[in-house]
Amino acid sequence: MIPSLKLFKEINSKILEIDNNQISDSIKIIKDTIKKGNKIILAGNGASSAIASHVAVDFTKNTRARAINFNETDLITCFSNDFGYENWIKKSLEYYSDHNDLVILISSSGNSLNIVKAAKYCKKNKLKLITLSGMNLKNKISNLGQVNFWVNSKSYNAIETVHQAILLALV
């Protein structure tokens, strides 16, 4: 089979596996966050960071939510330099999050240390959290959020595409 067709089939099958209850639960959390005037904060690494950036703009434009992402080079390099790369997202949340904000963390593996530490910070500080991960079901963030989307795949391209589809569906 042509590799691109194989990828399309995998993406399609993974989208069909998405739990409608998780979508409904996420929408309730998002609506509550917007209604209370709180922010939606998105973060990820690499392609997940690009997804966070895209979706933050779509949330703002299409739902009038105050949605932000942590993609500013100066923020990333300053906080990585001063606090360590593994802590820069957690530290960003310390500086930018408010009570009742919603954090959406995206990690294909679910094991990126900066994402894991940010998720644990959210849990400890009672920030609402939605996680998106893939690879291993027992990854480090797969049970830390109020809603945890997990894509059963080992393919970064499939996982990232499904994550983006989920987030755009939530918008």
Side-chain angles (χ1 to χ4, degrees):
M1 179 180 296
I2 300 170
S4 59
L5 292 178
K6 183 178 176 188
L7 177 62
F8 289 145
K9 284 186 176 221
E10 181 176 10
I11 291 167
N12 185 53
S13 73
K14 300 309 169 193
I15 287 174
L16 294 173
E17 292 174 4
I18 296 168
D19 184 342
N20 287 329
N21 291 325
Q22 288 182 299
I23 296 290
S24 296
D25 292 346
S26 297
I27 290 170
K28 286 178 192 169
I29 293 168
I30 291 164
K31 283 183 175 181
D32 182 61
T33 301
I34 295 168
K35 182 179 174 185
K36 290 180 177 173
N38 289 98
K39 294 183 299 300
I40 300 171
I41 302 171
L42 298 101
N45 294 307
S48 296
S49 181
I51 292 166
S53 182
H54 176 165
V55 172
V57 171
D58 281 0
F59 268 122
T60 299
K61 180 180 162 204
N62 296 313
T63 71
R64 304 197 55 80
R66 292 184 310 134
I68 63 172
N69 65 89
F70 298 141
N71 283 345
E72 300 84 7
T73 305
D74 54 339
L75 174 73
I76 297 167
T77 57
C78 174
F79 280 25
S80 293
N81 185 60
D82 292 355
F83 306 116
Y85 188 77
E86 69 279 5
N87 294 309
W88 82 264
I89 297 174
K90 179 184 96 151
K91 289 305 254 185
S92 297
L93 289 170
E94 287 177 22
Y95 282 86
Y96 288 98
S97 66
D98 296 309
H99 181 68
N100 284 326
D101 281 349
L102 166 61
V103 178
I104 299 175
L105 296 174
I106 312 162
S107 172
S108 293
S109 71
N111 292 320
S112 300
L113 192 53
N114 59 353
I115 299 291
V116 173
K117 286 188 173 202
K120 288 180 179 178
Y121 175 84
C122 291
K123 191 169 179 97
K124 179 180 176 186
N125 292 280
K126 298 184 173 135
L127 289 169
K128 294 176 278 185
L129 176 63
I130 296 173
T131 69
L132 294 97
S133 64
M135 304 286 174
N136 184 341
L137 178 59
K138 295 184 184 198
N139 68 63
K140 294 177 182 174
I141 68 166
S142 66
N143 64 353
L144 295 177
Q146 281 75 29
V147 179
N148 301 288
F149 290 98
W150 175 70
V151 179
N152 184 11
S153 176
K154 303 289 187 212
S155 165
Y156 280 97
N157 287 339
I159 294 165
E160 291 161 353
T161 302
V162 175
H163 284 171
Q164 185 157 6
I166 290 167
L167 290 168
L168 291 175
L170 294 178
V171 170

